[in-house]
Coordinates of all heavy atoms in Angstrom, one line a residue:
A316 N -27.9 24.0 -72.8 CA -26.9 24.5 -71.9 C -26.6 26.0 -72.3 O -26.4 26.9 -71.6 CB -25.6 23.7 -71.9
A317 N -26.5 26.2 -73.7 CA -26.1 27.5 -74.2 C -27.2 28.5 -73.9 O -27.0 29.6 -73.6 CB -25.9 27.3 -75.7
L318 N -28.5 28.0 -74.1 CA -29.6 28.9 -73.8 C -29.7 29.4 -72.3 O -29.9 30.6 -72.1 CB -30.9 28.2 -74.2 CG -32.1 29.1 -74.2 CD1 -32.0 30.0 -75.4 CD2 -33.4 28.2 -74.4
T319 N -29.5 28.5 -71.4 CA -29.6 29.0 -70.0 C -28.4 29.9 -69.7 O -28.6 30.7 -68.7 CB -29.5 27.7 -69.1 OG1 -28.4 26.9 -69.3 CG2 -30.9 26.9 -69.2
S320 N -27.3 29.8 -70.3 CA -26.2 30.7 -70.1 C -26.5 32.1 -70.9 O -26.3 33.1 -70.3 CB -24.9 30.3 -70.6 OG -24.5 29.1 -70.0
A321 N -27.0 31.9 -72.1 CA -27.3 33.1 -72.9 C -28.3 34.1 -72.1 O -28.0 35.3 -72.1 CB -27.8 32.7 -74.2
I322 N -29.3 33.5 -71.5 CA -30.2 34.4 -70.8 C -29.6 35.2 -69.7 O -29.8 36.3 -69.4 CB -31.6 33.7 -70.3 CG1 -31.3 32.5 -69.5 CG2 -32.4 33.3 -71.5 CD1 -32.6 31.9 -69.0
S323 N -28.6 34.5 -69.0 CA -27.9 35.2 -67.9 C -27.0 36.3 -68.4 O -26.8 37.2 -67.8 CB -27.1 34.2 -67.1 OG -25.9 33.8 -67.6
I324 N -26.5 36.1 -69.6 CA -25.6 37.1 -70.1 C -26.4 38.3 -70.6 O -26.0 39.5 -70.3 CB -24.7 36.6 -71.3 CG1 -24.1 35.3 -71.0 CG2 -23.7 37.6 -71.8 CD1 -23.3 34.6 -72.1
L325 N -27.5 38.0 -71.3 CA -28.4 39.2 -71.8 C -29.0 39.9 -70.7 O -29.2 41.1 -70.7 CB -29.4 38.6 -72.7 CG -30.3 39.7 -73.5 CD1 -29.3 40.6 -74.3 CD2 -31.3 39.0 -74.3
E326 N -29.2 39.2 -69.5 CA -29.8 39.9 -68.3 C -28.9 41.0 -67.8 O -29.4 41.9 -67.3 CB -30.2 38.9 -67.3 CG -30.8 39.4 -66.0 CD -32.1 40.1 -66.1 OE1 -32.8 39.9 -67.2 OE2 -32.5 40.8 -65.2
V327 N -27.6 40.8 -68.0 CA -26.7 41.9 -67.5 C -26.9 43.2 -68.1 O -27.2 44.2 -67.3 CB -25.2 41.5 -67.7 CG1 -24.3 42.5 -67.2 CG2 -24.9 40.2 -66.9
P328 N -26.9 43.5 -69.4 CA -27.3 44.8 -70.0 C -28.8 45.1 -69.8 O -29.0 46.3 -69.6 CB -26.9 44.7 -71.4 CG -26.8 43.3 -71.7 CD -26.4 42.6 -70.5
V329 N -29.6 44.1 -69.8 CA -31.0 44.4 -69.6 C -31.3 45.0 -68.1 O -31.9 46.1 -68.0 CB -31.9 43.2 -69.7 CG1 -33.3 43.4 -69.2 CG2 -32.0 42.8 -71.2
A330 N -30.7 44.4 -67.1 CA -30.8 44.9 -65.8 C -30.2 46.3 -65.6 O -30.6 47.2 -65.0 CB -30.1 43.9 -64.8
Y331 N -29.1 46.5 -66.4 CA -28.5 47.9 -66.4 C -29.4 48.9 -66.9 O -29.6 50.0 -66.3 CB -27.2 47.8 -67.2 CG -26.5 49.1 -67.3 CD1 -25.7 49.6 -66.2 CD2 -26.6 49.9 -68.4 CE1 -25.1 50.8 -66.3 CE2 -25.9 51.2 -68.5 CZ -25.2 51.6 -67.5 OH -24.6 52.8 -67.5
A332 N -30.1 48.6 -68.1 CA -31.0 49.6 -68.6 C -32.2 49.8 -67.7 O -32.7 50.9 -67.5 CB -31.5 49.0 -70.0
V333 N -32.7 48.7 -67.0 CA -33.8 48.8 -66.1 C -33.4 49.6 -64.9 O -34.1 50.6 -64.5 CB -34.3 47.5 -65.7 CG1 -35.4 47.6 -64.6 CG2 -34.9 46.7 -66.9
K334 N -32.2 49.3 -64.3 CA -32.0 49.9 -63.0 C -31.2 51.2 -63.1 O -31.4 52.1 -62.2 CB -31.2 48.9 -62.1 CG -32.1 47.8 -61.8 CD -31.4 46.7 -61.0 CE -32.4 45.6 -60.6 NZ -31.7 44.5 -59.9
T335 N -30.4 51.4 -64.0 CA -29.5 52.6 -64.1 C -30.3 53.6 -65.0 O -30.3 54.8 -64.7 CB -28.2 52.3 -64.7 OG1 -27.5 51.5 -63.7 CG2 -27.3 53.6 -64.8
W336 N -30.8 53.2 -66.1 CA -31.5 54.1 -67.0 C -33.0 54.2 -66.7 O -33.7 55.0 -67.3 CB -31.3 53.7 -68.4 CG -30.0 53.8 -68.9 CD1 -28.9 54.6 -68.4 CD2 -29.4 53.2 -70.1 NE1 -27.7 54.4 -69.1 CE2 -28.1 53.6 -70.2 CE3 -29.9 52.3 -71.1 CZ2 -27.1 53.1 -71.2 CZ3 -29.0 51.9 -72.2 CH2 -27.7 52.3 -72.2

Side-chain angles (χ1 to χ4, degrees):
L318 189 65
T319 55
S320 298
I322 55 180
S323 76
I324 310 177
L325 187 59
E326 177 63 16
V327 175
V329 165
Y331 178 78
V333 169
K334 292 179 179 175
T335 296
W336 294 341

